[in-house]
Amino acid sequence: MAKDRMDLTTFVGKVLSDGDADVLREGVRVLAEALMDAEVSSKIDAGRYERTDERSAYRNGSRSRRWDTRVGSIELKIPRVDRGSYFPSLLEPRRRAEQALFAVVQEAYVNGVSTRKVDGVVRALGIDGLSKSEVSRMCKSLDEQVEAFRNRPIEGSHPYLWLDATFHKVREDGRVISMATVVAVGVTQAGERQILGCDTGPAEDHVFWKAFLRRLVRRGLKDVQLVISDAHEGLKRAIAEILSAATWQRCRVHFMRNLLATVPKSAADAVAAVVRTIFAQRTHAEGCCPPRGTNS
């Protein structure tokens, strides 16, 4: 991806709620067990249910072991082999391996899983000789968890909704194209922030935003009172049509960025300082500029 890709890993880490942590924990378990299965296949020179003369041992069930990670305790099923012993590389006291695994799964819940990312984790764990098909199989098993997260029911009320998008370069059918990634973050009545949805598409237009908001509503989004976003005309139209009962507010960050793009660089700091004082006022009246000709 291009350098201007939004760092969704950091973004998700800040806003995931406790409820979403269960989904993330399950994703870590799925990928960890897929890695162990691939490692055993490499160790005994045979895949699961594969018949080969090169096989050096057979699988012999599994044993349970608790794995403490930063998303909580995970109960892993560690494969057994009938000759010798097997201990997963990812359970060795290597903090970097666990961090890499965590980062891949965390980013996967927003961006999807790439073979290159998973292959990098496999090599960090010291596992060599895995084929692309084995890595792809790991990605496929995790994709099921990603889809479950993206399509899960939205429960409760979310009075406030943030919508944002960024563009990044992706390779598709041998060509590098620009792709829009959109994210919806809601705030519950208790003040908790949650990622409600994310999607990718070739253009950030009215049709795309309208379909995205419709999917959120079908999944259970309700009671939205205020929507904060950029002043994209297609997005504003989609909000007015799908979330007609909500009030729209322009995102302060986007507003400041657009404003400073119209002033000389030498005056940018001064203008920004003045505008920030407007947003710091307690009421709308205090933030308004006084009429011309007055000293107040």
Side-chain angles (χ1 to χ4, degrees):
M1 293 185 180
K3 292 182 179 179
D4 59 344
R5 180 180 69 85
M6 185 170 71
D7 186 6
L8 291 174
T9 299
T10 303
F11 179 68
V12 176
K14 292 181 178 179
V15 300
L16 274 175
S17 69
D18 292 338
D20 296 330
D22 291 336
V23 181
L24 185 58
R25 192 158 46 241
E26 178 66 10
V28 173
R29 184 194 64 79
V30 168
L31 182 54
E33 292 186 352
L35 286 170
M36 289 188 293
D37 183 70
E39 190 175 24
V40 169
S41 297
S42 178
K43 178 182 177 65
I44 66 176
D45 296 320
R48 186 179 290 274
Y49 309 118
E50 181 183 5
R51 300 191 179 189
T52 173
D53 294 334
E54 289 75 26
R55 176 189 291 274
S56 61
Y58 288 84
R59 288 174 169 79
N60 187 24
S62 63
R63 59 188 175 88
S64 297
R65 173 166 175 159
R66 192 180 71 176
W67 185 28
D68 294 324
T69 73
R70 287 175 295 164
V71 291
S73 296
I74 300 173
E75 200 70 24
L76 294 180
K77 292 183 179 179
I78 302 176
R80 295 176 181 268
V81 294
D82 63 350
R83 299 177 189 173
S85 61
Y86 165 70
F87 188 81
S89 299
L90 61 88
L91 294 184
E92 293 177 0
R94 279 190 268 174
R95 186 64 175 176
R96 286 197 309 168
E98 189 268 326
Q99 289 178 342
L101 183 61
F102 179 89
V104 168
V105 177
Q106 189 179 58
E107 189 169 359
Y109 276 88
V110 181
N111 283 344
V113 183
S114 71
T115 301
R116 178 178 58 84
K117 287 279 190 181
V118 175
D119 185 60
V121 172
V122 170
R123 294 185 182 278
L125 294 173
I127 307 172
D128 296 320
L130 295 183
S131 65
K132 289 185 178 180
S133 61
E134 287 177 313
V135 176
S136 297
R137 179 173 57 84
M138 297 178 194
C139 295
K140 184 177 180 180
S141 64
L142 183 58
D143 281 342
E144 297 174 358
Q145 302 300 320
V146 175
E147 289 305 307
F149 173 76
R150 294 180 60 201
N151 298 314
R152 74 196 189 284
I154 298 176
E155 300 177 351
S157 299
H158 293 81
Y160 306 101
L161 180 68
W162 272 272
L163 299 173
D164 198 9
T166 188
F167 282 86
H168 51 262
K169 300 294 183 181
V170 299
R171 187 176 298 276
E172 187 173 273
D173 298 328
R175 299 184 303 117
V176 177
I177 62 174
S178 182
M179 189 75 72
T181 299
V182 299
V183 179
V185 178
V187 179
T188 67
Q189 292 180 328
E192 298 175 344
R193 291 184 294 177
Q194 297 177 341
I195 293 180
L196 302 182
C198 58
D199 203 355
T200 58
E204 186 196 357
D205 56 14
H206 169 252
V207 175
F208 181 45
W209 275 116
K210 188 174 180 179
F212 178 67
L213 292 177
R214 275 179 172 169
R215 285 193 294 272
L216 292 179
V217 172
R218 283 199 299 267
R219 288 171 47 214
L221 177 64
K222 63 181 180 180
D223 300 329
V224 179
Q225 300 177 19
L226 179 66
V227 181
I228 302 97
S229 74
D230 190 10
H232 189 284
E233 289 300 325
L235 173 55
K236 291 173 63 178
R237 283 178 54 199
I239 294 171
E241 294 174 15
I242 306 302
L243 304 174
S244 57
T247 301
W248 175 80
Q249 177 177 301
R250 188 174 186 180
C251 174
R252 173 179 170 181
V253 174
H254 288 93
F255 171 75
M256 185 70 77
R257 187 181 302 160
N258 297 150
L259 175 64
L260 296 181
T262 64
V263 301
K265 289 186 178 180
S266 59
D269 291 340
V271 172
V274 172
V275 174
R276 290 192 188 99
T277 63
I278 297 175
F279 287 110
Q281 303 307 310
R282 293 173 298 178
T283 66
H284 182 272
E286 292 177 354
C288 292
C289 296
R292 291 185 178 180
T294 65
N295 295 324
S296 57

